[in-house]
Amino acid sequence: MASLILRPWTHDSPDTSSLKDILARAQRGHFRDITEVSLQEEIAGEGAFELSESESDDEEEDKDEEQSSAKPSTRDDLFKARLEMLRHVDAAHNDVMIALDFVSLLLTHDAPEKGKASISAGLRQEVPIGTLGHDIWHKMPQDKAREAQDELLATNVRMESLQQSADSLLAAATRLDDNVRKETRYWDHVLSINENGWNVCKLPGQQHRLGVTYGFSDSAPEFARRGVAALNATADGTMVLERGVGSKPRAVRVLLKRGEAVVGCSLIPALRNEGEVALEARIRHARDSLFDEELYHEMLRESRGQASLGISTKGDCIVLTPNSGESPLATEVVFELVSLDEVEDEAGEAREQDPLAQAIALAARMLLSQAHREKVKKRSAVPPPMSERKDERQSLPILRPIMAFMLHKAAIDQINSYQARIESLLSATSIEHRTQPAAFAFPKDIEAGGGEDLISMLMQCWTSEASLVLDDRQTTMRLETTLATSFGTQYTLSSADGRTTKFGTQDELRAACDDALASELALRLKRGADGGWECNVREALLVRADDEQGKGRRVWVTLDSETGVLSLNTPTKKVSWGSQVDVATSFSEAWAGLVE
Amino acid sequence: MHEFSLYSQIPATRHGQVLHILAGVTASQPTSTLEQTLIYQQARLTETGTSKKASAGRQNAVPASRLSYHKLVRDLKGSDGEKGPWTFRAEDVPLPGMPNFVSRATTAHVLGEAELENFRQGNGWHKYINQYLASPGHRFVHYNIVVRISRILSVPEGTGALEPLDAPIPVLSDCKPIDPSGTYHFEACVRVEDGGNSKIVEQATAELMAFKKQVEGAVDLRVPERLAFDTRVKGT
């Protein structure tokens, strides 16, 4: 390419006017196709024309100036055209300079001096010299086959990549579909759990995970912590509780044993209720299991402090033996924590005291709930000022009310059996009597408003009365059991003549009652007999003073419930009724016989 | 004993919301209270053993040198619906230099009949100044912190004419709130048996600050100006 250097026309002063000014004066329109040769031709052939053109331009300009008012638009157009041309020329100049730089750079590789002379300063700074080389390539012949192959390759590659994108899009779509389905199932599960009453909450430590609370916030800390389980979604969208929670459910079972034989057993909760999803069954198992475990734990804690009451542990079981000294065949209550999966189905046969065992189990659970309620109330009360004293956690009263109940029941059973023996003796002797056995006394109008009322009824002092009436004279035995003041049952005997005495053990009561009844029988004899007899009530002794024949008579009555013998004695003779002796005579006949 | 407390104000519109928040934090329901407080000015210093300052050792060196104002407080919504017993309360000026909470020594004990006599008119020991009611009031207990939210009502004119200990309770509809906008007064306080036991004091203050952080955003607890709690009688 020829270097384009325009020199100013002759009539201008040779001061360094910028290219712009020169071009402004050139006024040639496009000069893209201008080459040196064509310019020279023009100069040669039409030099005059050029001059005349410029002249005519000047003339035109003069004419324009003279006729400025007539054609102002032309002049403006002219200026606009000039400006536009200037702009184009500028751009062209720029392109040319860039081309120059390119060529110079190329040249520096082969002819460094020439190149360096023409390279511009800017490019020189950017790019080191001699870094652009050139080769001459001959134009390759057109290879149709190769071109066709290239076409084919290109098409195939394009198709392949398109297919790949299509595949990945499809895969993304299926995965999205899958995710959506899993999410829907997850949220369906969560909603169903929530609607069934379980509390779904956010887990404190982990984000994006929900959990179910089934514990009780007022339990001991180690149990309250276990009351939350996270809900995890497995690969196929089903929901599962974490860590196998609820998989090994346990429950407390109450057994009533007499000696070695089981006479009563409480119910075990069913493994799965009707219409319950497996997940909810697990949560329910978890909650019940946690409650029963806490119940067992609290009972164990209580039993350690209450060994004096007859509560002991044998292996894994807590054993309540009311009145252990009384009789080896007394019913004992055994609490054990069994695993629901492994328990043998002992509930198959109904035993005689199953309802009692079930009632005891229920009572224990209600007592634990009551203890929770008490804890909340205590927490809401204004606390005393902080000090160094640390309060030990009191053991919850679960076994104690149950123990009180069992003691009272045992006492009632024993009193009633004693009364039955007396009754059999009296009927053997055909003495008229009336008895009223002891039974649990409940308040007249039982209005249990809720669990709390039931518990308060359970915690109160148990009292019962048994009475025996002989000829309108009543002997009453009263039993009171409460573990608040003293251990065991308090017995009160009110005899017919108005004396009341208190006893601590039942043996004493029985002995005293025997004596009282003997006295009653003696009194009865005295009333029935003719005069002359004197009765020593305390000794149940009837004495007749020596009469004219010198025969004094002493008769006394003895009643022994231990051996089950009622006898009428004189110093010489003795008539007895009882289990070993089978006597057909009645009391009055025997009396008549003795008196003779 | 020693008390550490923080205070705040709850606008009437947010009262329900704050009660809900606190019920969640403490996991229990509020106990509603109606407290009547009588303010008495101590007319004479007691020189004998019935000292009204904190017990255990330190008051023997510093006898009560200034007369101060004392309060008699009772809860009118007791557990049986009856009026509770009168409780005497004496508060000291808060200790200076505590930017995080108000720390002051207080005495509080339930008064028997004989001691109540000191507060009746005519005895020279105390002079009745004023009284106020805190109703509706709610109380929450969070471990060792007692939170009280109430609206202070001033009693109508002329209530002090009768013997305030025996007078009937002022009718609630006649009492106007001290703050006409109906804002509630929020107080959180921890009590410590012995202010000298630094271990317990640290525990108590740590608990109080943790509680403040816990309810931050819902209730902003702050420390009011120390001298606003001054109970000394001026001019003696």
Side-chain angles (χ1 to χ4, degrees):
Chain A
M1 236 191 341
S3 60
L4 207 60
I5 301 172
L6 290 179
R7 296 220 167 73
W9 296 111
T10 48
H11 63 271
D12 275 343
S13 52
D15 53 336
T16 54
S17 25
S18 66
L19 194 53
K20 267 198 209 151
D21 303 336
I22 297 167
L23 287 173
R25 282 182 236 130
Q27 293 188 1
R28 258 189 87 93
H30 294 290
F31 64 101
R32 189 177 166 200
D33 301 313
I34 296 175
T35 59
E36 200 175 321
V37 173
S38 65
L39 272 178
Q40 277 181 352
E41 278 174 1
E42 278 185 19
I43 292 169
E46 298 158 15
F49 176 65
E50 297 268 5
L51 287 170
S52 64
E53 217 182 41
S54 61
E55 280 175 7
S56 65
D57 283 339
D58 288 334
E59 280 175 9
E60 268 189 358
E61 274 181 24
D62 293 336
K63 274 193 226 158
D64 282 340
E65 280 168 44
E66 285 168 3
Q67 301 168 11
S68 59
S69 57
K71 297 182 205 177
S73 55
T74 314
R75 197 195 197 124
D76 284 334
D77 286 342
L78 201 63
F79 286 144
K80 275 190 212 144
R82 195 161 100 189
L83 278 171
E84 204 172 317
M85 198 196 74
L86 277 175
R87 244 181 292 146
H88 284 312
V89 164
D90 254 341
H93 172 65
N94 217 11
D95 290 339
V96 161
M97 296 311 286
I98 288 175
L100 174 64
D101 278 338
F102 169 64
V103 169
S104 321
L105 188 57
L106 207 52
L107 216 51
T108 54
H109 180 74
D110 298 316
E113 295 311 314
K114 280 205 213 159
K116 272 192 241 181
S118 55
I119 199 168
S120 75
L123 190 59
R124 188 71 171 279
Q125 279 169 6
E126 297 285 327
V127 178
I129 56 165
T131 50
L132 200 57
H134 66 281
D135 270 330
I136 300 181
W137 275 42
H138 299 289
K139 193 163 176 189
M140 304 265 297
Q142 231 187 13
D143 194 356
K144 288 272 188 214
R146 254 245 346 238
E147 269 183 33
Q149 208 179 35
D150 282 344
E151 247 342 287
L152 200 59
L153 274 172
T155 322
N156 279 349
V157 164
R158 233 175 283 137
M159 240 176 46
E160 225 179 83
S161 61
L162 280 175
Q163 240 171 14
Q164 248 180 15
S165 353
D167 283 342
S168 66
L169 277 174
L170 262 173
T174 38
R175 210 179 62 201
L176 182 64
D177 198 27
D178 214 19
N179 276 356
V180 164
R181 217 175 344 163
K182 271 201 263 184
E183 282 293 313
T184 326
R185 249 195 283 182
Y186 180 81
W187 287 108
D188 274 341
H189 279 300
V190 170
L191 268 177
S192 80
I193 292 181
N194 202 14
E195 272 157 24
N196 281 340
W198 301 103
N199 185 23
V200 176
C201 64
K202 205 167 62 159
L203 287 176
Q206 321 165 31
Q207 293 186 332
H208 309 302
R209 280 233 274 184
L210 293 176
V212 161
T213 54
Y214 52 84
F216 304 88
S217 56
D218 300 305
S219 314
E222 54 262 19
F223 290 99
R225 259 197 299 268
R226 284 167 56 186
V228 184
L231 290 168
N232 292 338
T234 58
D236 54 351
T238 51
M239 196 110 85
V240 125
L241 285 177
E242 60 164 342
R243 282 191 282 112
V245 161
S247 57
K248 292 205 206 65
R250 305 213 273 186
V252 163
R253 186 169 67 167
V254 175
L255 293 174
L256 290 171
K257 277 186 166 167
R258 195 174 286 150
E260 280 302 312
V262 176
V263 292
C265 172
S266 68
L267 296 172
I268 303 287
L271 215 44
R272 193 193 276 231
N273 283 344
E274 291 290 331
E276 212 179 39
V277 182
L279 180 63
E280 283 165 25
R282 295 273 276 245
I283 303 180
R284 185 174 59 83
H285 284 319
R287 180 196 62 183
D288 294 341
S289 175
L290 186 67
F291 188 76
D292 275 353
E293 277 175 42
E294 189 194 346
L295 178 65
Y296 184 72
H297 178 91
E298 290 296 332
M299 287 202 292
L300 210 55
R301 245 178 102 231
E302 195 186 352
S303 69
R304 286 196 205 115
Q306 307 287 341
S308 63
L309 289 181
I311 304 173
S312 58
T313 46
K314 275 196 207 125
D316 279 336
C317 314
I318 305 173
V319 178
L320 258 68
T321 30
N323 296 342
S324 50
E326 296 278 338
S327 133
L329 290 185
T331 325
E332 32 173 58
V333 186
V334 176
F335 291 94
E336 53 185 6
L337 193 62
V338 297
S339 165
L340 286 189
D341 301 325
E342 299 161 14
V343 70
E344 317 95 51
D345 197 11
E346 290 203 23
E349 335 126 30
R351 289 182 202 83
E352 59 179 49
Q353 298 210 357
D354 270 350
L356 180 60
Q358 179 65 12
I360 292 181
L362 271 178
R365 294 193 180 115
M366 280 175 68
L367 282 164
L368 182 63
S369 302
Q370 176 67 10
H372 285 168
R373 273 190 286 258
E374 296 282 318
K375 217 167 172 185
V376 174
K377 267 193 262 186
K378 198 162 150 213
R379 206 157 38 98
S380 312
V382 176
M386 287 171 75
S387 56
E388 287 274 359
R389 272 176 284 117
K390 284 190 231 288
D391 295 316
E392 266 296 322
R393 200 154 53 102
Q394 298 278 331
S395 64
L396 305 177
I398 300 178
L399 288 174
R400 275 168 284 177
I402 298 181
M403 187 66 175
F405 169 76
M406 293 304 296
L407 280 174
H408 197 73
K409 181 169 181 306
I412 286 181
D413 286 342
Q414 281 168 341
I415 288 286
N416 284 348
S417 72
Y418 165 73
Q419 224 178 24
R421 275 196 295 243
I422 301 281
E423 232 181 317
S424 69
L425 281 176
L426 289 178
S427 12
T429 62
S430 336
I431 301 180
E432 282 178 20
H433 57 275
R434 274 201 319 270
T435 55
Q436 189 188 347
F440 282 99
F442 292 113
K444 282 290 176 232
D445 28 349
I446 303 180
E447 259 189 49
E452 284 208 27
D453 296 335
L454 285 176
I455 296 288
S456 57
M457 281 202 323
L458 183 66
M459 303 276 243
Q460 71 192 358
C461 171
W462 301 105
T463 57
S464 307
E465 276 189 10
S467 61
L468 179 67
V469 180
L470 271 178
D471 291 342
D472 300 327
R473 289 168 67 87
Q474 184 180 19
T475 315
T476 319
M477 292 172 278
R478 207 174 125 89
L479 318 161
E480 255 180 60
T481 312
T482 169
L483 289 178
T485 47
S486 63
F487 165 63
T489 321
Q490 293 282 328
Y491 303 95
T492 314
L493 177 68
S494 331
S495 60
D497 32 356
R499 270 180 312 158
T500 54
T501 12
K502 287 198 179 354
F503 304 100
T505 66
Q506 203 166 74
D507 290 341
E508 288 171 20
L509 175 71
R510 267 184 280 191
C513 197
D514 287 347
D515 288 340
L517 283 177
S519 314
E520 283 298 307
L521 288 174
L523 265 178
R524 194 164 172 273
L525 284 178
K526 172 174 184 279
R527 269 181 277 126
D530 343 323
W533 287 95
E534 300 215 345
C535 179
N536 185 341
V537 181
R538 241 169 40 88
E539 309 264 330
L541 177 66
L542 290 152
V543 177
R544 191 165 66 177
D546 289 341
D547 58 5
E548 56 283 2
Q549 288 151 358
K551 274 196 298 187
R553 280 276 186 264
R554 290 153 59 90
V555 186
W556 60 92
V557 184
T558 55
L559 175 61
D560 189 353
S561 54
E562 286 288 326
T563 51
V565 171
L566 167 67
S567 60
L568 206 50
N569 311 312
T570 60
T572 48
K573 275 205 299 191
K574 180 169 163 173
V575 183
S576 333
W577 296 264
S579 44
Q580 294 96 5
V581 184
D582 242 342
V583 179
T585 49
S586 78
F587 201 65
S588 1
E589 291 170 6
W591 164 250
L594 280 178
V595 162
E596 292 309 311
Chain B
M1 68 189 156
H2 222 81
E3 262 186 19
F4 304 102
S5 22
L6 284 172
Y7 297 86
S8 177
Q9 276 186 320
I10 317 275
T13 47
R14 284 194 62 218
H15 182 231
Q17 184 195 37
V18 169
L19 283 185
H20 279 117
I21 291 173
L22 277 179
V25 165
T26 59
S28 61
Q29 294 296 312
T31 332
S32 66
T33 57
L34 206 174
E35 268 189 7
Q36 181 184 23
T37 311
L38 308 179
I39 306 180
Y40 283 88
Q41 178 185 1
Q42 199 180 14
R44 276 212 294 251
L45 285 175
T46 50
E47 286 95 26
T48 54
T50 56
S51 159
K52 292 185 167 54
K53 295 295 181 201
S55 59
R58 95 181 155 75
Q59 85 285 18
N60 293 330
V62 181
S65 50
R66 314 278 302 258
L67 297 176
S68 49
Y69 291 102
H70 295 151
K71 286 187 191 164
L72 282 185
V73 185
R74 76 171 165 183
D75 190 359
L76 294 169
K77 260 198 206 166
S79 49
D80 305 323
E82 292 173 0
K83 307 177 192 172
W86 288 103
T87 311
F88 168 83
R89 198 177 145 85
E91 299 157 355
D92 264 357
V93 183
L95 296 179
M98 300 272 193
N100 293 327
F101 45 82
V102 174
S103 157
R104 55 188 169 169
T106 56
T107 324
H109 53 265
V110 177
L111 286 184
E113 272 303 320
E115 289 165 319
L116 267 183
E117 280 304 313
N118 283 341
F119 290 89
R120 289 185 193 275
Q121 275 166 357
N123 282 330
W125 294 105
H126 285 95
K127 182 171 142 224
Y128 169 77
I129 304 289
N130 203 349
Q131 64 171 293
Y132 61 87
L133 293 173
S135 156
H138 296 274
R139 184 181 70 211
F140 290 92
V141 175
H142 184 56
Y143 297 111
N144 281 310
I145 303 180
V146 181
V147 173
R148 272 183 263 262
I149 305 177
S150 54
R151 190 191 264 162
I152 314 274
L153 307 171
S154 66
V155 293
E157 295 276 333
T159 320
L162 300 171
E163 172 58 51
L165 285 174
D166 307 318
I169 306 161
V171 178
L172 276 182
S173 43
D174 288 339
C175 301
K176 284 200 303 284
I178 287 184
D179 182 356
S181 69
T183 317
Y184 284 82
H185 171 80
F186 184 105
E187 176 191 350
C189 105
V190 188
R191 297 183 298 169
V192 169
E193 182 89 28
D194 176 17
N197 187 339
S198 59
K199 190 163 74 116
I200 301 284
V201 163
E202 257 178 50
Q203 258 181 332
T205 49
E207 217 184 297
L208 187 63
M209 301 319 289
F211 177 71
K212 171 176 169 176
K213 197 153 180 330
Q214 197 177 15
V215 295
E216 207 167 355
V219 177
D220 287 323
L221 292 167
R222 34 176 289 274
V223 178
E225 199 212 305
R226 177 182 147 242
L227 287 172
F229 292 99
D230 194 352
T231 52
R232 294 173 289 198
V233 176
K234 305 291 180 291
T236 55

